[in-house]
Amino acid sequence: MLLASFFGLAIGLILGLTGAGGGILAVPALVLGLGWPMTQAAPVALMAVGASAALGAVDGLRQGLVRYRAALLMALLGGAFTPLGLYFAHRLPEDLLMGLFSLVLVLVAMRMHRQARGAQGVAAEHGWQQKNCMLDASTGRLRWTLRCGLTLAAVGSCCGLLTGLLGVGGGFLLVPAFRQLTDIRLHGIVATSLMVIALVSLMAIVGAVRAGVVIPPAGGVFIVASVLGMLAGRIAAPHVPPRALQNGFAGLCLLVAAYLLCKTFA
């Protein structure tokens, strides 16, 4: 229980500091820290990330930042594809799942490092005219074109598939996809992504429980501790230099990915 509390607080703190993508380390914390198999760790990690995301989404709704129509569309498609991810998660070898998860961690680390160097911001400035989803200047709302709807549906589907397969909330995919494909401001992107994560995680958790996954008491402790850690992280985030935070998170992802690969295939 003590270890579950420690890792829960640590993951919540990282989630609060880094935003929607920080929850990707919840599964490694349970697998490496508590020795759980990935199929057991994934639903507990989703509960922790989903609960934290729900708090952020409620705050975003209160401030009027959430693009709720876009979030609902993506969550519906994500919920539809989550069972497919769960299906493969329970049939693929554990070693393959670990390898896929490590690859995702490496990709997240690379994106964070590029973001710290400011590369994404430069790309966004030069590519704004090619955005798939644009805001209407007169209303401030998204223009619901066929292209925009298909784009959001595709991103939501991928998010749901990865949520079911690897037990990740999908923030590492949603935030950069929103930044690349829409002209929504960053605060709105994060708030909308948190709502999608909360809804898709809830659907994935229901599917996992119906499939017979049992949440042990240590899992409940981990979830509660992660929520408390997330609240502490959100308070501390404004006082931490963003570049140092992004580089630190990228380095941590690479270390965890390397350790996972060594533990799995050594």
Side-chain angles (χ1 to χ4, degrees):
M1 292 293 185
L2 185 60
L3 274 178
S5 300
F6 171 77
F7 284 114
L9 284 170
I11 292 302
L13 187 63
I14 293 171
L15 183 63
L17 288 171
T18 59
I24 194 173
L25 294 177
V27 170
L30 293 169
V31 172
L32 300 178
L34 301 183
W36 291 6
M38 193 161 173
T39 50
Q40 184 183 28
V44 174
L46 277 177
M47 285 188 180
V49 174
S52 300
L55 290 176
V58 169
D59 187 51
L61 283 169
R62 182 181 60 81
Q63 298 181 47
L65 296 173
V66 176
R67 303 287 171 174
Y68 59 89
R69 292 186 182 88
L72 289 175
L73 173 63
M74 298 173 76
L76 285 174
L77 269 297
F81 276 82
T82 295
L84 181 62
L86 286 168
Y87 174 85
F88 285 116
H90 286 87
R91 285 161 180 80
L92 292 176
E94 184 83 4
D95 290 353
L96 179 57
L97 290 175
M98 287 292 191
L100 290 173
F101 199 98
S102 299
L103 176 61
V104 170
L105 281 172
V106 172
L107 293 175
V108 170
M110 292 172 60
R111 182 182 69 83
M112 275 288 184
H113 181 62
R114 286 198 304 269
Q115 186 175 331
R117 293 170 55 190
Q120 287 189 349
V122 173
E125 289 177 7
H126 292 286
W128 69 270
Q129 291 181 331
Q130 287 74 43
K131 303 288 188 181
N132 289 20
C133 294
M134 299 289 289
L135 295 174
D136 189 322
S138 60
T139 64
R141 297 182 177 181
L142 280 175
R143 296 173 183 165
W144 281 94
T145 62
L146 177 61
R147 183 183 182 187
C148 180
L150 290 176
T151 297
L152 295 177
V155 174
S157 300
C158 292
C159 176
L161 184 64
L162 288 174
T163 297
L165 181 64
L166 301 178
V168 295
F172 70 92
L173 171 66
L174 288 170
V175 172
F178 263 125
R179 294 186 68 177
Q180 183 68 29
L181 300 170
T182 77
D183 61 345
I184 300 173
R185 292 180 179 272
L186 182 58
H187 291 302
I189 288 173
V190 172
T192 304
S193 298
L194 287 173
M195 184 172 179
V196 176
I197 293 167
L199 293 174
V200 173
S201 297
L202 175 62
M203 297 180 206
I205 292 163
V206 171
V209 171
R210 290 182 63 184
V213 174
V214 178
I215 307 299
V221 173
F222 179 88
I223 293 166
V224 173
S226 68
V227 173
L228 294 175
M230 187 276 297
L231 293 174
R234 291 189 66 179
I235 295 172
H239 306 289
V240 181
R243 186 170 182 177
L245 188 60
Q246 290 163 346
N247 282 326
F249 182 69
L252 183 59
C253 285
L254 287 175
L255 286 175
V256 172
Y259 189 77
L260 275 175
L261 289 172
C262 291
K263 185 177 177 65
T264 304
F265 298 106

